[in-house]
Structure formats: C-alpha cells, structure tokens
C-alpha cells in the first residue's frame, strides 16, 4: 500500500513540557489508524501538528512526500488536503447547514456555488439530513451537528481526515448515528486518523491501532493483536481501565 502521510521524529513541547516525544507514524492510502491513550497523553496535539495548527520543535510531517509541518508554503493549501473534525463541531452559528458546507469550497476552492450546493445536498442526503439543509446549527441535535461537520469536511475532498473525539460531547443515543457515518467512510476507503475513547468502535473501524502514553507511541498493531494480546503492561492497564472485554 502506498504511504500518504508520514510523521517522522516529531517532538512538540510547550515551554518545558514535552508533549510529543520523537513520534514516528506512517499512514497508508485508504488506511484507518485509530489512536487511543490516557487523557493528556498528546493525542489532540498530534492531530493538530499533522495539519500544522501547531509549530513543532523537531521532526517533520509530510503528505505525499511534501513537507507540511514545518510548513513552507501556504497553510491554507495544507489544510485543504487534510480535513479535521472536532468534538465541538465548530459550525458557523449564523449560517445554515447548506451555507456551512458550501462556504469553504466556494471561497477557497472557487467551486461554482450551484455545483457546491448540489454536492452538499447529495452528502446531506447520505447522512439522512437533507431535510435540515436550511436549518441553523442551534436547531440541530448534537448528533446531527456532528454529521454536518463530517460532511462539511468532505466537501473539500481531503486526502486525509482527522477526527478528534467526535462523539465525546454527545448523548449516548446519538453516538451510534455518528459512528455509523465514520464506518461508512472507512468502507469507502477514506484515509483517516481517528482519536477516540470508544474502544468497540475503534476495534470495528481500525486497520491499525496506536497507543500513546506520555507523548510516545508505546504500542501499535492490528486491532486483534492490540485488544486480544497487548504486549506492554501499560496498554494492558489502559484496556483494563475501560473494563474492555474482547468478548
Ligand atoms: N496550548 C497549550 N499550552 C500548554 N500546554 C498544552 C497546550 N495544549 C495542550 N497542552 C498540554 O499538552 C498535553 C497534551 O494535551 P492533549 O490535548 O494533546 O491531550 P489528549 O491526549 O488529547 O487528552 P484528552 O484525551 O483529554 O483529549 C497536556 O498535558 C496538555 O495540558
Ligand atoms: Mg484530546
């Protein structure tokens, strides 16, 4: 499989606090990599370094061999290629669902507005939200907002999608509808790096699992190895803390 994203020797600190400590991670085209680890271990920071939201102290991130952090060219060009969805949706409150989705493609990618609207409607239809296209974010449930945030990211045709705890703010009954969308994207062969605390979802969607602790990758492997036969004590303890059972 062809490598699409490469993180090499990445070190990120805030003043004296080393948050990511010489991290290496490679992601192939069409691969779904799921990152888990205790709170504060550096998961969100890693995703933010990948799309150059953060400056890094050492190492580099490349997409198709082209360096994106430290960034040489235009930051916007990097961010067009890498979509990111957050726990907090980040929809524009004063824009409708359709406007939220078409804004960046029209402004940044210079897509014709009618074409962008057509694509947005098709994506909304796929996630069961076409009837909400003229609603404002505050008129949607959390799960609906998050599904809009996901399809909004797809409007830019990103090469890699980064998802950071996208169900963490949702009521339990809405988690499923959002995770189902992500599972569909995985089946379509989208390249994704996903941070989540939902271990059964992780297992269902991951091609490869990565465990970070204390800013380092402590263990990685296939979902089966990772959950059934963890090698390190730290991962065993982490899985136990979720009372994760492989049954
Ligand atoms: N802007 C910042 N300035 C200083 N320290 C920061 C900043 N952002 C994050 N940190 C610190 O970096 C460490 C890693 O944070 P990060 O948000 O990446 O953790 P995380 O693994 O995503 O945790 P969680 O599971 O709780 O979301 C934490 O110790 C955090 O306090
Ligand atoms: Mg986080």
């Amino acid at each position: 499989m062809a490598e699409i994203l490469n993180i090499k020797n990445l070190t990120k600190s805030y003043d004296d606090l080393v948050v990511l400590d010489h991290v290496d991670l490679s992601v192939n085209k069409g691969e779904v990599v799921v990152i888990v680890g205790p709170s504060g271990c550096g998961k969100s920071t890693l995703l933010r370094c990948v799309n150059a939201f953060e400056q890094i102290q050492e190492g580099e991130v490349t997409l198709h061999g082209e360096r994106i952090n430290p960034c040489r060219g235009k930051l916007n060009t990097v961010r067009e290629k890498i979509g990111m969805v957050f726990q907090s949706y980040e929809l524009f409150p004063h824009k409708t669902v359709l406007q939220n989705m078409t804004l960046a493609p029209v402004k940044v990618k210079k897509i014709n507005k009618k074409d962008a609207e057509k694509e947005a409607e098709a994506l909304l239809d796929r996630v069961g939200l076409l009837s909400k296209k003229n609603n404002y974010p505050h008129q949607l449930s959390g799960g609906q907002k998050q599904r809009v945030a996901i399809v909004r990211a797809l409007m830019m045709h990103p090469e890699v999608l980064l998802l950071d705890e996208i169900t963490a703010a949702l009521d339990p009954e809405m988690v499923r509808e959002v995770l189902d969308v992500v599972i569909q994207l995985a089946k379509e062969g989208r390249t994704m790096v996903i941070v989540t605390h939902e271990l059964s979802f992780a297992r269902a969607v991951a091609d490869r699992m990565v465990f970070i602790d204390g800013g380092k990758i402590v263990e990685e492997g296939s979902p089966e190895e990772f959950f059934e036969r963890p090698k390190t004590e730290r991962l065993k303890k982490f899985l136990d803390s979720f009372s994760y059972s492989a049954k």
Side-chain angles (χ1 to χ4, degrees):
M1 258 201 295
E3 179 185 271
I4 184 164
L5 181 73
N6 187 277
I7 298 166
K8 198 160 69 193
N9 201 29
L10 189 156
T11 295
K12 165 76 193 166
S13 18
Y14 294 105
D15 301 321
D16 292 344
L17 179 71
V18 179
V19 175
L20 295 169
D21 190 2
H22 299 96
V23 170
D24 290 298
L25 184 67
S26 157
V27 180
N28 290 325
K29 191 164 168 49
E31 196 178 22
V32 178
V33 173
V34 176
I35 300 174
V36 298
S39 180
C41 73
K43 304 179 296 295
S44 297
T45 306
L46 180 62
L47 295 190
R48 293 168 57 81
C49 289
V50 167
N51 70 351
F53 269 127
E54 299 281 351
Q55 288 190 349
I56 62 183
Q57 275 67 47
E58 245 184 274
E60 62 175 18
V61 181
T62 56
L63 184 71
H64 289 304
E66 197 186 329
R67 203 174 75 188
I68 54 178
N69 194 358
C71 186
R72 258 189 297 210
K74 282 193 185 155
L75 267 181
N76 279 344
T77 321
V78 170
R79 291 184 188 144
E80 273 173 44
K81 295 180 186 164
I82 301 183
M84 184 145 179
V85 183
F86 307 88
Q87 175 180 331
S88 51
Y89 332 118
E90 312 279 334
L91 298 175
F92 301 111
H94 302 299
K95 304 223 176 272
T96 64
V97 166
L98 207 59
Q99 288 165 344
N100 262 283
M101 291 182 68
T102 55
L103 189 74
V106 170
K107 268 206 160 162
V108 181
K109 285 204 151 178
K110 312 288 179 214
I111 308 277
N112 172 290
K113 188 161 170 238
K114 280 272 164 294
D115 291 342
E117 284 177 354
K118 227 169 125 190
E119 186 177 0
E121 285 174 359
L123 284 168
L124 285 170
D125 196 26
R126 276 192 42 197
V127 297
L129 292 174
L130 186 54
S131 65
K132 303 286 184 189
K133 68 176 184 178
N134 294 319
N135 284 85
Y136 288 88
H138 77 268
Q139 298 170 316
L140 305 180
S141 74
Q144 291 170 340
K145 276 188 268 205
Q146 197 55 289
R147 280 180 283 159
V148 172
I150 293 169
V151 288
R152 179 179 65 171
L154 297 181
M155 288 290 291
M156 297 300 277
H157 302 177
E159 297 189 40
V160 180
L161 205 51
L162 311 176
L163 308 180
D164 191 3
E165 304 244 29
I166 60 168
T167 59
L170 300 178
D171 292 336
E173 65 268 27
M174 290 169 191
V175 169
R176 191 74 248 163
E177 65 193 28
V178 171
L179 296 184
D180 283 345
V181 171
V182 180
I183 287 171
Q184 280 310 314
L185 297 179
K187 283 191 184 143
E188 280 169 24
R190 302 252 178 198
T191 312
M192 294 190 276
V193 182
I194 301 175
V195 169
T196 184
H197 281 126
E198 302 273 344
L199 294 190
S200 43
F201 160 69
R203 186 165 183 170
V205 81
D207 294 309
R208 183 149 47 99
M209 292 295 308
V210 173
F211 173 58
I212 299 186
D213 196 6
K216 286 182 192 288
I217 294 183
V218 172
E219 187 161 343
E220 61 182 301
S222 72
E224 203 204 334
E225 290 169 340
F226 190 91
F227 289 107
E228 307 274 352
R229 297 182 294 282
K231 294 187 207 66
T232 57
E233 281 310 310
R234 274 150 95 186
L235 176 56
K236 278 181 203 158
K237 254 179 104 176
F238 176 76
L239 295 175
D240 283 348
S241 72
F242 279 82
S243 317
Y244 182 82
S245 119
K247 281 181 281 274

